[in-house]
Each structure stands twice: as structure tokens, then as C-alpha cells.
Amino acid sequence: MELQLSMVDGSVCMKDSAKSEISSERTLYPYVTGTSIIGMKYKDGVILASDTAGSYGSTLRYKSVERIKQVGDHTLIGASGEISDFQEIMRYLDELILYDKMWDDGNSLGPKEVHNYLNRIMYNRRNKFNPLWNSLVLGGVKKGQKYLGTVNMIGTHYEDDHLATGFGNHLARPILRSEWREDLTFEEAVKLIEKCLLVLLYRDRSSINKFQIAKITDEGTTIFPPYALKTFWGFSHFQNPSKGAAGTW
Amino acid sequence: MALRGDWMYENNGGTCVAIAGIDYCVVAADTRLSVGYNILTRDHSKICSLADKVVLASSGFQGDIRALHKNLAARHLLYQHQHNKQMSCPAMGQLLSNTLYYKRFFPYYAFNVLGGLDNEGKGCVFTYDAVGSYERVGYSAQGSGSSLIMPVLDNQLKSPSPLLLPARDAVTPLSETEAVDLVKDVFASATERDIYTGDKLEIVVINASGIKREYLELRKD
């Protein structure tokens, strides 16, 4: 056992090999997590999609977690990462929108403004070594201008025509880079998103077959009820997988 | 996990270059944002116009870069309110150095090149490290492709030694178009061999008539 001086707040504590016990007041690691979010612009607005799983490490603990929520009139936010931190973020955002509404001045915060606000929150929490352990996707439309942006727990943020978090970056982005177009109709956009969601379902172990799609246009927001996709497991390799195996392997 | 080391930084890659001329300054950076072996987006600007005659390009950790640019822009606004004029490039150079050193023990992971025109209208380039050490030079490259680009600039721009007396100007005698062509060439070369550099090149030219922007497509692989 040795003493360790924390550079951050000057506290001294005992260090053991498993973990330090500097303070119980900061996020050390995520507990209940959501996996990927996919977002993309289409002709009339922006679509966000996610599954509804909340994993507790390798356990699929919660299967009806809404990871996409509405923020004000013009924005949708989807979160992956620690679910409780997402709930905290929703409290920040709801307060932001409330104060904005209380001005009652005919203006309302658009997705760009909400994204900027979130960027500053995430970056400042990172500076205090107490991050909100999330990767967020923000999509919205205001006065015909479509917006899609993302921010992660250390404050890295950017915008693009299509975005994803977590595994979605590896599995969904390549599909979107190949097949996304500026003028997708809603039906075409949903088909493209479902293609991505299916790949994630097959290949991401933390995803489940229960998805939620949300769209936002100048007319308004719709968060659709959860539904399942049709999967195919009839590949010959999956039938009798241990056929031909020698010994115990 | 949050207690140790380097989770709070990431290197989003990219390269920045600036070249000072007799009466112009070229500042250029690629627009690729990456993390590890992933490309996050192909169209993200690393360049920030701080003042009429001052342009900053930074590569490194995008969260810190954005915060740094916002910080400097805010300080410039305050300066304008207090002094009723724009900040000069050398003044911004000192401000940037002080801002970086202020966070000496939790640095901005940003590698900067500041370009612009000095008070006499001559091209002016300052190059920095992450904690604020800086120097006025005739040209500079920072970021993931800097080690590929700097030797080429050294070869082409033949800057006189800073040890010479009397002191010789470090700015290049090349014309504006020649300097821009050189920048395009070095970026095309860096894109070939540096995985973090590519997609698109943003070139900003500052001269007496103002700030001009130009783009060049780079390889996307």
C-alpha cells in the first residue's frame, strides 16, 4: 500500500492495486450503458435511430430504454453511454428550454444552439475530471435548415450529413458513406437506417432487436413506437455449428 | 478509469501549414477529423479567423482546439471594445502564447500556427508548441504531417539562418500564387503517407485586401 497524491484536488489517499479511492463524487466508469445511435439528414429533415437496450456490463438489464428524446420544438437528442448521465443531460436541457420559453419572446433555441450548449457542458465536465460519460447525437430542423451534430464525453464535436456513435461508427458509417444521398425520402431513409440497424444487431453484442426511430422536420417531431426487424439466421454455418469439430473444440 | 492517465485527451489528427510572404500570408490546413483508425468527418475546419489580419490554424485534440479558438475570439472582442482597433498579429501571437501557458499543468492539446500581417503589412507566421513556447518564423508546419512537410518547406523556401548578423528577413520572396501552389504540393505529398491528413485542404490567404478562402480536394483514403 502506498500513498498517492492526487494532482487534481491535492487529496492524499491509499493506493491499492485494484483501484484508487480518491473521491466518490465523480464518474469513474459507466454502469448502465446504451450502445450506438445513428442519425442522418434526409429530404425533409433529420432521422435518428437507436435500439432500446440498457446494458449493465455484459448483462442486457433493461430492454425498454428510450435513448432518443425531444428537446424543445426543433431538436432531437440521442444518447449512447451511461444512461444516468443522459438523464442528467436531459435535466440540463429541459431547464435550458424552459428558461428559453419563459422569455416568451417568439424565439426558440434551435439545434445549433442546443448543440453548442451541450458542447460546453461536456467539455467543462471533462476539464473537472468528472465527465458525463456519453456520446450524443443532436438532430433538428429550424426554418428549413437541417442540422446534425455530435459531441462526446471529452468534448469532441462535429457536424455531418450522417453520424453514428460507438459501434455505429465502425459498422453503420461505411454503409451511409456509400448509400446516403441528399434527397432521400422518408421511406428510403428508413430503409437505409434499417440496413444499418440490422448490421448492428448482428454484430454488436450489446444491441437488441427492439428499435426506435425518430424523425424531425419543420412540421414537428415524431418518435415512433419501438419495433423489431426481421433477422435471418439460416446460414448453413449456423446450422449445427460444431459439425466436423474434433475433440472438445 | 476516469482516475488515470489519458482518457481526457485524444488526437484528432490533421496538419497545418503557414507561409509568410512580402505582403501576404498563406495559412492552410486539411479538413479531416479522425480518431485512431476511424475518420469521424471529412469536412471539419481547423482554421479560425481571429481578426482582420490574423488567422489561426490548430491541430491536435478538437475539444481543446475549439475551446482555445473561442477563448481567443472572445479576448479579441474585448480588446476591440477596449482599444477601438483590431489586434495585430504579433499581439495575438503573445496572447496565444500566454493562453497556452496559462494551462501549463493541464495543457490545451493543440499545435498551432498563427499567420497574418504584422503592423507594417509584411507576412507574419508564429509557430507554437502545446504549452506556449513560440517563435516568429518565415514558414511552419504543425500536426501529424508536420515531419513530412517541414523538410520540404526548408528545402524550397531556403530561409536564412536566424544566427546571421545583420538579421535577414525570414519571409519568402515567392509570389502569392507560387506560395499557394507550394502549399498544395506539400499537402498532396503529406496526404500520400500520413493517414491522418487528407479529404480536403482549406487554404486561407491574408493580404492587404483582406482574407480569401480556397479549397482543394485531397485523397480520401
Side-chain angles (χ1 to χ4, degrees):
Chain A
M1 285 273 195
E2 54 198 78
L3 288 177
Q4 185 188 39
L5 172 69
S6 157
M7 286 290 282
V8 174
D9 54 13
S11 62
V12 176
C13 69
M14 300 290 247
K15 173 180 158 195
D16 73 40
S17 52
K19 62 183 197 291
S20 303
E21 291 144 48
I22 288 184
S23 161
S24 57
E25 289 177 22
R26 39 180 65 141
T27 305
L28 302 176
Y29 14 75
Y31 284 91
V32 180
T33 56
T35 181
S36 330
I37 302 271
I38 311 176
M40 65 189 228
K41 293 183 187 169
Y42 71 105
K43 192 162 66 135
D44 309 320
V46 178
I47 286 192
L48 260 61
S50 76
D51 66 13
T52 60
S55 310
Y56 185 64
S58 54
T59 317
L60 271 174
R61 174 65 184 85
Y62 301 103
K63 299 197 190 168
S64 296
V65 181
E66 246 198 60
R67 296 195 289 118
I68 300 180
K69 298 250 189 227
Q70 185 173 0
V71 180
D73 302 318
H74 304 282
T75 321
L76 276 175
I77 179 174
S80 65
E82 172 63 57
I83 300 293
S84 63
D85 281 348
F86 178 45
Q87 291 168 348
E88 173 96 342
I89 286 170
M90 285 316 295
R91 282 212 302 278
Y92 278 127
L93 291 178
D94 289 337
E95 184 187 50
L96 178 75
I97 299 293
L98 179 68
Y99 278 104
D100 183 45
K101 272 227 167 51
M102 292 198 318
W103 280 110
D104 199 22
D105 57 0
N107 279 327
S108 50
L109 291 173
K112 240 189 170 57
E113 291 85 57
V114 175
H115 191 208
N116 191 50
Y117 179 68
L118 269 181
N119 290 345
R120 290 301 107 217
I121 288 185
M122 302 302 273
Y123 183 70
N124 277 292
R125 290 286 296 252
R126 165 259 187 203
N127 280 348
K128 296 193 281 203
F129 291 82
N130 186 14
L132 290 160
W133 208 285
N134 295 103
S135 290
L136 307 162
V137 173
L138 261 119
V141 195
K142 192 173 171 196
K143 297 206 176 73
Q145 287 273 53
K146 294 174 279 205
Y147 185 87
L148 185 60
T150 182
V151 57
N152 72 8
M153 71 186 236
I154 52 175
T156 310
H157 56 276
Y158 47 96
E159 307 156 37
D160 212 334
D161 297 324
H162 48 77
L163 291 172
T165 65
F167 263 98
N169 265 316
H170 295 95
L171 300 171
R173 280 315 277 293
I175 300 177
L176 293 168
R177 283 202 180 106
S178 170
E179 300 185 23
W180 181 85
R181 280 175 297 115
E182 183 86 53
D183 56 353
L184 290 166
T185 63
F186 179 64
E187 289 69 32
E188 291 172 328
V190 170
K191 271 194 78 182
L192 184 51
I193 280 234
E194 284 184 349
K195 190 169 180 180
C196 298
L197 289 174
L198 202 53
V199 173
L200 286 169
L201 175 61
Y202 282 130
R203 292 295 175 176
D204 177 6
R205 72 114 186 246
S206 352
S207 63
I208 57 172
N209 197 356
K210 188 173 170 193
F211 300 103
Q212 207 164 28
I213 293 198
K215 77 167 169 138
I216 183 162
T217 63
D218 248 331
E219 275 84 57
T221 315
T222 319
I223 303 185
F224 295 98
Y227 69 105
L229 290 174
K230 234 167 144 298
T231 56
F232 177 68
W233 299 96
F235 296 102
S236 59
H237 218 65
F238 294 150
Q239 322 293 16
N240 198 7
S242 51
K243 173 173 161 187
T248 42
W249 295 103
Chain B
M1 246 164 86
L3 290 172
R4 45 199 97 233
D6 56 0
W7 62 267
M8 76 281 281
Y9 287 112
E10 72 188 10
N11 189 352
N12 298 114
T15 312
C16 310
V17 165
I19 301 181
I22 306 267
D23 60 352
Y24 67 88
C25 185
V26 180
V27 178
D30 69 324
T31 62
R32 174 177 284 181
L33 199 73
S34 1
V35 159
Y37 285 115
N38 282 335
I39 296 177
L40 297 177
T41 186
R42 298 186 191 275
D43 201 3
H44 185 90
S45 173
K46 297 184 189 48
I47 299 185
C48 179
S49 272
L50 291 171
D52 277 351
K53 305 259 180 344
V54 185
V55 167
L56 172 62
S58 321
S59 91
F61 168 42
Q62 194 260 352
D64 274 346
I65 289 172
R66 186 84 176 92
L68 179 65
H69 287 187
K70 274 190 149 209
N71 196 330
L72 292 173
R75 289 299 299 272
H76 184 233
L77 196 56
L78 285 174
Y79 182 96
Q80 287 181 282
H81 288 151
Q82 285 174 349
H83 303 281
N84 198 20
K85 64 173 182 175
Q86 297 267 325
M87 263 176 105
S88 66
C89 196
M92 185 60 83
Q94 185 68 60
L95 177 62
L96 174 53
S97 169
N98 292 347
T99 309
L100 291 170
Y101 196 79
Y102 192 75
K103 291 217 337 136
R104 169 66 177 79
F105 299 108
F106 184 14
Y108 287 113
Y109 191 87
F111 297 97
N112 303 288
V113 263
L114 189 74
L117 301 177
D118 65 13
N119 290 313
E120 295 152 23
K122 280 219 301 262
C124 176
V125 170
F126 292 97
T127 188
Y128 296 79
D129 72 359
V131 286
S133 153
Y134 80 118
E135 181 188 14
R136 181 168 177 178
V137 288
Y139 56 88
S140 178
Q142 289 281 355
S144 54
S146 63
S147 46
L148 297 165
I149 292 181
M150 225 20 205
V152 179
L153 294 181
D154 286 333
N155 176 270
Q156 292 296 307
L157 298 174
K158 285 198 184 70
S159 195
S161 166
L163 302 168
L164 284 174
L165 279 175
R168 291 250 283 278
D169 239 345
V171 297
T172 175
L174 286 181
S175 76
E176 196 181 294
T177 11
E178 287 173 326
V180 170
D181 280 344
L182 177 60
V183 162
K184 292 179 179 176
D185 277 338
V186 291
F187 264 94
S189 310
T191 304
E192 294 289 316
R193 292 290 179 175
D194 177 24
I195 60 174
Y196 297 111
T197 304
D199 289 331
K200 210 160 69 164
L201 172 62
E202 184 181 4
I203 308 173
V204 174
V205 182
I206 310 122
N207 53 23
S209 28
I211 298 188
K212 222 177 28 185
R213 217 161 277 253
E214 184 185 337
Y215 294 94
L216 171 73
E217 292 293 319
L218 295 173
R219 282 185 66 154
K220 303 186 185 321
D221 62 359

